[in-house]
Amino acid sequence: MPTLMIQGGADLCDEPASSEGQQSCFTGGYRRIVLDDAGHFPPREAPPREAPDAVADAVIAHLR
């Protein structure tokens, strides 16, 4: 199963570095996106630290 990992670059709960180098755990393809200005909940619409539009765009592109 192709996997898309989306993480906020300003996430203070799970640091972005913790999701680096995980490709070997996924046999069906893996893509990681770090949204620089987003926090812990990137899909939420709670500015200024989240990015729901960027998350939606990434998911739509992934599903195509």
Side-chain angles (χ1 to χ4, degrees), residues 16-41:
S18 68
S19 68
E20 289 178 5
Q22 300 297 318
Q23 302 87 299
S24 64
C25 298
F26 301 88
T27 59
Y30 178 80
R31 182 171 173 224
R32 176 178 176 259
I33 298 172
V34 177
L35 302 172
D36 291 333
D37 295 329
H40 188 66
F41 299 104

